[in-house]
Structures are given as C-alpha cells and as structure tokens.
Amino acid sequence: MAAPVSNSRPDPALVVFNRFGLGARPGDVDKLRGDLKGDPRAYLKAELRQPDIAMIPYDDPAYAGLLGSTAAIQASMAASFQRKLDMQAVTRQATMTNAAAVPPPAAPTMPAAASAKPAAAAEMPAKPTSGLAGATKPVAQPPASPPAPPPIEARLFQAEAQARFDKALKADVGFVERLVYFWSNHFCISVAKDNIVRASAGAFEREAIRPFVLGRFADMLLAVEHHPAMLFYLDNQQSVGPKSRAGNNGKRGLNENLAREILELHTLGVGGGYSQADVTSFARILTGWMIGGRDGHLGEPGNFVFNANAHEPGDEVLLGKTYPAGGQGQAEAALNDIARHPATALHIATKLARYFIADTPPPAAVERLVKVFTKSDGDLRAMAATLIDMPEAWSTPLAKIRSPFDFIVAIRRAAGPDPANNPNQSLGWLNALGEPLWQPPGPNGFADETDAWASAEGMKIRLDIAWQAARQVKAIGNPNDTLDAVIGPSASPETRLAIAQAESKQQGLAMLLMAPEFQRR
C-alpha cells in the first residue's frame, strides 16, 4: 500500500525511528520529544556513544546457545562426518538384508516314496494359536520413536536468528543495528552455499561485522576476508597458486571469486579502476588463505589457516603497485591499501547515502561522506555521525520502502514480539517477502532500492503479515492511540480517518502497520 510521497520536510521523529532506526515502540516518540527536548540528532548520537552497543555478548544467559565460528564449523564438520558414517551403515545393512533374502538353491528331487508323509501326520489339524480356533495372537507394536532433533546447523541458525531479533527489539533506536545490517549485506555470505556457512553465518556477523561497525573500515575488511565463512563462501578454499608446491600436480588451479568480489563489491566498486589482470593478480596474492579441515593437517579445524604450500610464490603487481613476496602478509598489505583507495571511499559513501537517504543520493551528501572517509582513514563512527549531521537526512522526503527485515522488526517493536518466543514465524515472513535471513541471491547482497520491495505482490504479502501480527496481539488498545504512540502527529488525515473507520481493533492495527508513514523510511 505504497502511497504518494509527500514533498514536505519529514517529521524529525520519523527521521529518527524510520530513516535511521528500526521503528518506534509505544512511548518512544514521547521519550524523544521529552527527555532530550526534541533534539533528534542528540538522540541518535547518544546511541553511538554507548560502549559495545553493537555487540551480542557471549556471557549473556539469553544467548547461551551461540558458538564462535570455529566451534560452529567444527560441529558442522563432525555432524557431516557422522551423517556419512550413518549412510554407509545403512547401505551395508541394506546389502546384507538383500543378500539374506536370496532363496537357497533348490534341493535335489527325492523319490516319491521317500518324500511321502504318514497319513496320520498329513491329516492332523494345525494347533490353534489361542483359545479360539483360527485366531492369531496380536503382535505388540514397538513404541514410536521420538522425532529426531534438527541438525546442529539448523539449531545454530535458529539461535543466531533469535539473538539478532532480540537485539533489534531491545535497541532504543536501532541506528547501530541498521549499520550492522548494512555492513552484513555489503559483506554478505549465503547459508544456501553449504552447511558450514549455515552453521557459521550468525557467528560471522558477530565476529567480523559487529566489533568494527563503529571502528575502521580497513579493520572490518581484514576481519571479513580472514573469516572462514567468507573464505568458504567465495571458494578460496579451492584456490591454489599455479606455481605453488600444491599447484605443481595440476589437480587444482586458481579461483578468482574472492579476489573479484573484494574489488567489485567490497571495496573499489564497479568502475573502480581495476582490470581483469588486477583480479587475476589479486587471486594469486590470496592463495593459501583457507580453512583448517576436519583432519587438522593444516591447523585447527574450522579456523583460518595460511597454507604456504598453496600460495603462489613471487612478487605481484596490483593496481599499479608491486607487492613483494611475503606469504600471508602480501594479501594483508594489499587489503590495507585497497581500503584507503579513493574509489573505495566513493563506493562506500554512495552506498551509505543510498541506504539512509534516497535511492538516488544527493551528490553533496556523497561528497561530504567521501571527505570524511578519506580524512578519518575510514573511521565508520565518524561516517555515522556525519550522516546524522547532514541536512539532507532531515530534509529529503521519506521515500524509500522499508526492507523486509526492517518491516518485520518494526512490526514486532510496534505490536509486540512473537508470542511463541522463537524466530520461526519471523523467518517465515522474511522468506515470503523475498529476503531470507543471511541468504541473498548473490555476492552483491539484497537490493536496496525501493523498486525491489514495492511490487504489488510484495505489498499483498505485507498486508497478510500485518493481519497475522494484529491477530496475535492479545490485548489491543485503541489503534488511534497506538498510531499516536509510534507515528505521532505526522500521521496524515487519510491515515487517521482509515484507522478511525476500521471495523475492529485488529483491522485498525493492521491498517496502521500498512500505513505509508509506517512503511516509508
């Protein structure tokens, strides 16, 4: 139900909770207008100052089911090996059963006289098996086996999903969480790749994204490209230097996936000044960056390892600069330089301005972000503060449609959490809306433009979800009061009239969740 966008200056409260945050909860708008005397910029910056605001702590009992990526991958490797053993056992058992079912060779034919039974024995009736002639004794049925627990990868994924939703619901504004989602989508991996990625996707976000979301871009880049989940997702496990010791046998060669996506998506961007020769050279530089296998020959299973035998020896030229042979450090030096490249600054600034301001970001906003990125050596906290301060963030109409994840979280914040206290329904809603958690269609992540989410079919699904969420609320108050609490005085007369004329409280709440003021960011 995407309504025409107003060209007037947006309400600062909606800018805070819709453009920068994850949606207002009942009482949040009043808190903004009262506690900080209506200073929306100060309200947002207060969240940036909170220590460890982006982190999901391991020592919190609420997140006891979470594992680090190495432990998660080891658990997946062990489960995969056990499944293989179980399948082999089933195959052996089936072979033995089939062999036992083959009838023995027929006995030699005996003379008729020798094979004849005594007449008395031949005429003797069969002994009944119970008190009633011909009845059979009922066979006791074995008790039904309990259902098998879900695979370890599914359990880890569900625990990580619940932790992510919990973090979003507890956030005062959710600006830092929005930054986490931006960077997680920028450096995306997909659980559709393999069980190893499914088991470690949440840990990847907690280890490579959250600690650096208000830190330096170069540090986040190094953490991401070192992470086992990224190395596995982009096939660097399969990349072997042609002239390396491991490459001499000719069984495996160079894989350019990681190198290409780092240059095209993670740093310089399309048109960032690199060539195919740079991609190939960078792929050679990155050889040897792998994950320790289950056998532990290269290092701790599931952890990052540098395999010198697979690394391409010699100097390499990348973007006009020569990187001397240096093992693992050769790639780290290249990544640090790429992180500071002018094309990287432009690429990151453009994406951030598009994400928070408009599909076609104002050139002045992009230019300002580029200058801050360059001057601060990629300080992402400074970039976030610049977004808050720039006038375009407060004057540009709220025209973008909330992404499916932002929409689901906004519903939960406005109407209450999932009554079942698990992430399954929210995950199902995300699947229906086309943004399954940690499962983008490709390495470029989910789309960020309004057209990707504003289709007629997508809006119909959103309406169905709004109805489901409204029906789950046990004690619905006056929808008009909820409207004031989560949107405030900026609600249009049309929205107020539609909710006032609703036939039931549930219908009124569903209409609120589909109102343009709720959908737009």
Side-chain angles (χ1 to χ4, degrees):
M1 193 169 71
V5 180
S6 170
N7 290 322
S8 61
R9 180 180 290 269
D11 180 357
L14 289 189
V15 173
V16 169
F17 290 109
N18 288 25
R19 169 160 287 158
F20 285 106
L22 289 170
R25 301 164 298 189
D28 282 345
V29 173
D30 289 340
K31 181 180 179 182
L32 167 63
R33 299 186 189 281
D35 291 0
L36 293 170
K37 298 181 174 60
D39 185 348
R41 289 177 174 84
Y43 199 73
L44 289 167
K45 289 182 178 180
E47 191 172 85
L48 297 182
R49 292 192 297 270
Q50 295 181 36
D52 297 328
I53 180 64
M55 303 301 289
I56 295 178
Y58 281 102
D59 55 357
D60 189 327
Y63 307 126
L66 305 184
L67 295 178
S69 59
T70 300
I73 293 173
Q74 288 176 357
S76 178
M77 287 177 171
S80 177
F81 185 66
Q82 185 60 52
R83 288 191 290 266
K84 180 180 178 180
L85 294 179
D86 293 344
M87 184 62 67
Q88 291 173 347
V90 169
T91 302
R92 286 196 301 270
Q93 183 63 39
T95 302
M96 294 171 60
T97 300
N98 291 337
V102 176
T109 303
M110 300 183 65
S115 62
K117 293 183 179 180
E123 295 173 0
M124 187 178 295
K127 183 178 180 180
T129 57
S130 71
L132 298 176
T136 58
K137 186 177 182 180
V139 178
Q141 296 296 322
S145 300
I152 182 63
E153 297 89 353
R155 299 200 300 273
L156 288 171
F157 179 86
Q158 186 179 53
E160 294 284 1
Q162 185 64 51
R164 201 192 213 228
F165 281 118
D166 285 348
K167 185 75 171 174
L169 295 180
K170 294 174 182 176
D172 286 340
V173 179
F175 178 36
V176 173
E177 284 301 289
R178 288 282 310 284
L179 289 168
V180 169
Y181 308 155
F182 170 83
W183 289 112
S184 186
N185 191 55
H186 178 80
F187 291 114
C188 70
I189 57 176
S190 174
V191 299
K193 174 77 173 183
D194 188 90
N195 274 333
I196 282 179
V197 184
R198 176 169 289 276
S200 60
F204 167 75
E205 185 175 279
R206 288 186 290 108
E207 295 167 353
I209 303 296
R210 290 185 178 275
F212 308 99
V213 76
L214 296 177
R216 292 172 62 252
F217 174 76
D219 294 337
M220 183 188 290
L221 178 66
L222 285 167
V224 163
E225 311 308 348
H226 276 96
H227 200 278
M230 180 63 74
L231 293 172
F232 192 93
Y233 173 57
L234 290 179
D235 302 313
N236 218 60
Q237 193 79 355
Q238 311 303 321
S239 189
V240 173
K243 297 180 182 179
S244 68
R245 289 191 290 272
N248 288 332
N249 59 26
K251 293 182 179 180
R252 287 191 296 171
L254 203 62
N255 188 299
E256 297 182 350
N257 287 356
L258 180 62
R260 176 173 289 103
E261 306 310 355
I262 289 176
L263 297 176
E264 179 179 322
L265 301 176
H266 298 175
T267 58
L268 306 178
V270 177
Y274 64 91
S275 65
Q276 176 56 41
D278 289 316
V279 173
T280 303
S281 178
F282 195 24
R284 289 195 291 264
I285 290 173
L286 287 164
T287 51
W289 286 40
M290 295 182 174
I291 309 170
R294 189 183 61 82
D295 54 20
H297 287 167
L298 296 176
E300 184 180 7
N303 204 0
F304 170 86
V305 298
F306 177 72
N307 182 4
N309 287 335
H311 180 65
E312 181 75 357
D315 300 349
E316 293 290 345
V317 178
L318 174 63
L319 299 171
K321 179 176 179 178
T322 299
Y323 291 88
Q328 178 179 332
Q330 189 180 40
E332 291 171 343
L335 286 168
N336 273 304
D337 287 343
I338 296 169
R340 296 173 172 86
H341 196 283
T344 298
L346 178 60
H347 182 50
I348 298 304
T350 302
K351 287 192 69 172
L352 274 170
R354 181 182 298 123
Y355 183 71
F356 281 106
I357 299 177
D359 285 350
T360 303
V366 174
E367 182 180 355
R368 198 174 296 112
L369 287 167
V370 168
K371 289 181 179 178
V372 172
F373 187 95
T374 304
K375 184 177 180 180
S376 69
D377 193 24
D379 185 333
L380 300 183
R381 187 187 300 271
M383 296 283 281
T386 301
L387 280 165
I388 294 171
D389 284 335
M390 62 176 50
E392 294 87 350
W394 305 91
S395 62
T396 304
L398 296 169
K400 293 177 72 73
I401 294 289
R402 276 179 163 146
S403 70
F405 190 87
D406 290 351
F407 174 58
I408 299 305
V409 169
I411 282 180
R412 296 301 192 195
R413 286 169 66 89
D418 180 359
N421 196 31
N422 69 54
N424 291 338
Q425 184 178 59
S426 295
L427 291 172
W429 287 347
L430 288 174
N431 292 342
L433 289 169
E435 195 185 29
L437 183 60
W438 296 316
Q439 193 176 331
N444 57 337
F446 291 107
D448 186 35
E449 289 80 8
T450 294
D451 289 348
W453 309 119
S455 67
E457 179 63 22
M459 286 299 162
K460 179 182 179 300
I461 295 172
R462 289 188 186 223
L463 179 59
D464 291 342
I465 291 171
W467 265 107
Q468 291 179 46
R471 286 198 297 267
Q472 289 175 358
V473 179
K474 295 181 178 179
I476 298 181
N478 187 329
N480 292 294
D481 295 339
T482 306
L483 177 67
D484 290 333
V486 300
I487 293 179
S490 60
S492 69
E494 294 81 4
T495 295
R496 291 189 177 279
L497 180 62
I499 293 175
Q501 293 179 342
E503 296 179 359
S504 67
K505 292 181 178 180
Q506 284 81 6
Q507 185 185 61
L509 179 57
M511 294 177 72
L512 162 60
L513 301 178
M514 287 301 296
E517 298 90 339
F518 192 87
Q519 292 285 332
R520 298 283 183 182
R521 64 174 176 89

